[in-house]
Amino acid sequence: MSAFPYPLDKMIEGLSNEEYHSVDGLSSTQFDLMRKSMKAFELRHLFKKECAAFDEGSLIHDAVLLPHLLETNYIESTTKSSDTEAAKKLKENYPDKTIVGKGQIEWVKELAEKVNAIYGDYIAPAHREVSFFHYDEPTGLMFKCRPDIYDDKRGYILDLKSSKANNHQEFLRVLESYDYD
């Protein structure tokens, strides 16, 4: 194996999402894509998941787990929609920021407070958005993992998901459609 920029078989804190995703390695998402179609896996770079729904999910995710990144990573449009001419201008002026609708940042801060009030005992003491890399000598494959919430002392990993579902059964259907378990 050639020089690898990160330690193997250790928890890595502070690695950005972009840095993690730039590493060539196999994750559970990629394994799932391979299971469905090797062709889709090989051409995955053609299918970027960029849309308002994914942006909103990332915004919620960061508000709950990485609130210090809200100002750095997001900017609000002057309208409720993130697909307007004003939003396009903002994207030109702030290419490294995700454009979200007016009022969304305040809304997700309030939502994060509620989530933390209910689940804070699991979130607060745990490591958030840490990365792991493992090189498997026999196969020559690099594996990677980035759990949302990892508590090595109490022994759990949690994955934060958001959805427009308004009841438990609908939420389970949404999870199944994305092959979450």
Side-chain angles (χ1 to χ4, degrees), residues 163-177:
S163 164
K164 296 283 186 192
N166 62 9
N167 64 58
H168 185 71
Q169 289 301 326
E170 186 178 348
F171 184 69
L172 292 176
R173 279 193 297 280
V174 169
L175 289 179
E176 186 176 314
S177 73

Side-chain angles (χ1 to χ4, degrees), residues 64 107-120 123:
V64 173
W107 172 74
V108 296
K109 286 179 179 178
E110 292 171 10
L111 180 63
E113 282 182 31
K114 293 172 185 173
V115 170
N116 280 297
I118 297 168
Y119 300 105
I123 298 170

Side-chain angles (χ1 to χ4, degrees), residues 78-90:
T78 55
T79 64
K80 294 234 179 229
S81 173
S82 57
D83 296 331
T84 63
E85 284 301 317
K88 288 176 187 163
K89 274 210 184 314
L90 275 174

